[in-house]
Amino acid sequence: MRLRQSQARAILRNPTYAGAYVSGRYKSERTIDADGNISTRSVELPPDRWEVVIHDHHRGYISWDRFNANQRQLAANRSQRGARPPREGRALLQGV
């Protein structure tokens, strides 16, 4: 099966690949609409709010510094917030 952009992004954003054990990356939020229907969604928390982070928990494919650099690059490439990723040059997932 071909690697999809969403799969590649999920891999790049997962701290497990940097050798870290992390707990508390997501939290559940429940809301009630006007009709009384309850819906639950998962919200990703920023790294400074993760409950547990154990660096060098296991051997990683990339370093923690490289992981953080990837996160910064991915954030800079997000087109939903008005940023435009470069068409040429160095960019994670460029052309995907």
Side-chain angles (χ1 to χ4, degrees):
M1 168 181 352
R2 280 186 70 194
L3 179 67
R4 294 188 312 260
Q5 180 182 5
S6 61
Q7 293 169 318
R9 189 182 314 111
I11 291 169
L12 289 170
R13 296 189 68 209
N14 191 335
T16 299
Y17 291 96
Y21 171 81
V22 174
S23 178
R25 282 179 65 197
Y26 298 91
K27 72 173 186 171
S28 294
E29 284 187 353
R30 288 188 177 178
T31 57
I32 303 174
D33 65 14
D35 296 328
N37 298 316
I38 300 172
S39 62
T40 304
R41 69 181 186 125
S42 183
V43 178
E44 187 172 6
L45 298 173
D48 60 336
R49 293 192 48 209
W50 293 347
E51 293 177 16
V52 177
V53 179
I54 302 173
H55 299 283
D56 301 322
H57 177 264
H58 56 275
R59 186 174 173 185
Y61 293 100
I62 60 175
S63 70
W64 187 253
D65 290 335
R66 176 79 279 178
F67 173 77
N68 286 322
N70 287 348
Q71 302 318 297
R72 288 188 298 274
Q73 185 68 54
L74 288 170
N77 291 349
R78 287 194 64 182
S79 59
Q80 290 91 350
R81 296 202 174 129
R84 300 304 304 162
R87 290 181 55 123
E88 286 83 23
R90 292 185 50 152
L92 291 173
L93 304 178
Q94 181 177 356
V96 177

